[in-house]
Amino acid sequence: RVGRLFIVSRQWLVLSLLELGEFTEALPLAEDNERLAEQLQQTELGIGVGFASGLLHIRRGEPQRVVSLLERGLELSRTADFPVAAPLIASHLGHAYTLLGRVSEAIDLLEKAVEEAARMGIMSGQSLRVAWLGEAYLAARRLEEAGREAGRAVELARQHGERGLEAWALRLVGEVAARRDAPEVGRAEDAYRRALARAEELGMRPLVAHCHLGLGSLYRRTGKREEAQKHLSTATTMYREMDMRFWLEQAEAELKKLA
């Protein structure tokens, strides 16, 4: 009993640390949790630990490290009569697929995950699942659907008092507005800055860096070189400090376009 509570407590600690960008501290905890959960051989516990480890590597920008882990977790949730976990794991796997460019698979998983969670009344984190569906639509250039899901994610987060998830959803609103063929500059700026303010308030450093990247990319596209340089430099520094190489490469590529 104590072992299980210990692992679950550390699972939530990992989920907190990853939002703060404290990956160096979170990684060994997640790895040790996986080892301990395997020793206890409790399916539900193993799924929960895999869920936390999956999000850790996704947030850090290493989705390839967790695809097999999440695929096993999804299969376990279906074969071990633990259906409530299926949409949670499926949404994480779908988001990993989005980051890896497997967009059609991502959309299929995320649409089903959002629908299943709603049917089972799982509203905690539903705003994040909806936002991830919006990101998959955005990756597929289905901008109207992406914008719809971004707005829905913001409303769900507000309804359920999920202030951090609201910030992630606001950032998606900015992404959709910024990536239109004719960028909606005012709407994008407002959404990014509201997400940035909330992320700074809550100490969510990875999201802070993403907002700076979004603003810098927007300003580069619209010819505001000085503002673009400032935000892209900030994003690059933060990604380097947190060892978020996936997005560091994107920020550096944007900076090179200013040269």
Side-chain angles (χ1 to χ4, degrees), residues 18-247:
L18 66 88
E19 292 291 1
L20 299 174
E22 300 292 346
F23 298 114
T24 301
E25 186 176 348
L27 279 167
L29 291 176
E31 290 170 354
D32 196 44
N33 257 11
E34 290 175 35
R35 179 183 60 81
L36 292 173
E38 187 174 348
Q39 289 178 359
L40 289 179
Q41 296 185 335
Q42 295 181 12
T43 299
E44 293 183 17
L45 186 61
I47 290 172
V49 166
F51 167 88
S53 294
L55 187 56
L56 168 61
H57 292 295
I58 287 170
R59 283 280 190 258
R60 196 182 185 196
E62 297 178 317
Q64 71 282 355
R65 289 189 58 175
V66 292
V67 165
S68 59
L69 175 68
L70 292 171
E71 287 174 340
R72 287 197 306 272
L74 183 57
E75 183 63 26
L76 273 174
S77 70
R78 289 169 173 165
T79 59
D81 194 26
F82 191 30
V84 71
L88 311 184
I89 298 294
S91 63
H92 284 65
L93 180 58
H95 189 50
Y97 283 164
T98 299
L99 295 177
L100 291 168
R102 298 166 60 175
V103 179
S104 61
E105 294 171 274
I107 290 173
D108 183 57
L109 266 180
L110 286 160
E111 286 179 338
K112 291 175 181 176
V114 168
E115 181 182 343
E116 286 180 11
R119 187 175 66 250
M120 288 188 276
I122 306 172
M123 299 312 296
S124 175
Q126 183 74 337
S127 60
L128 181 62
R129 290 183 286 275
V130 170
W132 280 348
L133 175 58
E135 287 193 34
Y137 285 142
L138 182 59
R141 297 295 300 170
R142 293 164 60 174
L143 294 179
E144 296 308 315
E145 289 157 296
R148 179 195 67 208
E149 298 306 319
R152 188 156 73 105
V154 171
E155 289 306 311
L156 281 168
R158 288 174 178 168
Q159 288 171 16
H160 297 280
E162 298 170 328
R163 299 178 71 236
L165 297 185
E166 181 186 347
W168 280 106
L170 284 168
R171 179 245 181 181
L172 177 59
V173 172
E175 289 283 292
V176 175
R179 293 196 198 180
R180 294 188 181 277
D181 293 333
E184 298 175 344
V185 178
R187 179 175 174 80
E189 280 184 316
D190 177 67
Y192 279 134
R193 291 190 181 280
R194 283 192 290 151
L196 178 59
R198 177 66 57 78
E200 288 178 334
E201 176 191 349
L202 298 177
M204 301 167 68
R205 293 171 63 231
L207 181 53
V208 169
H210 289 333
C211 291
H212 282 296
L213 175 58
L215 283 165
S217 300
L218 174 67
Y219 290 141
R220 182 194 62 76
R221 288 185 64 195
T222 53
K224 297 181 179 180
R225 293 179 57 84
E226 185 176 341
E227 292 95 331
Q229 180 76 39
K230 180 182 72 173
H231 286 287
L232 291 172
S233 295
T234 299
T236 300
T237 298
M238 294 186 72
Y239 288 140
R240 187 174 292 114
E241 289 173 349
M242 291 182 284
D243 197 25
M244 297 174 67
R245 300 175 192 178
F246 181 86
W247 285 285

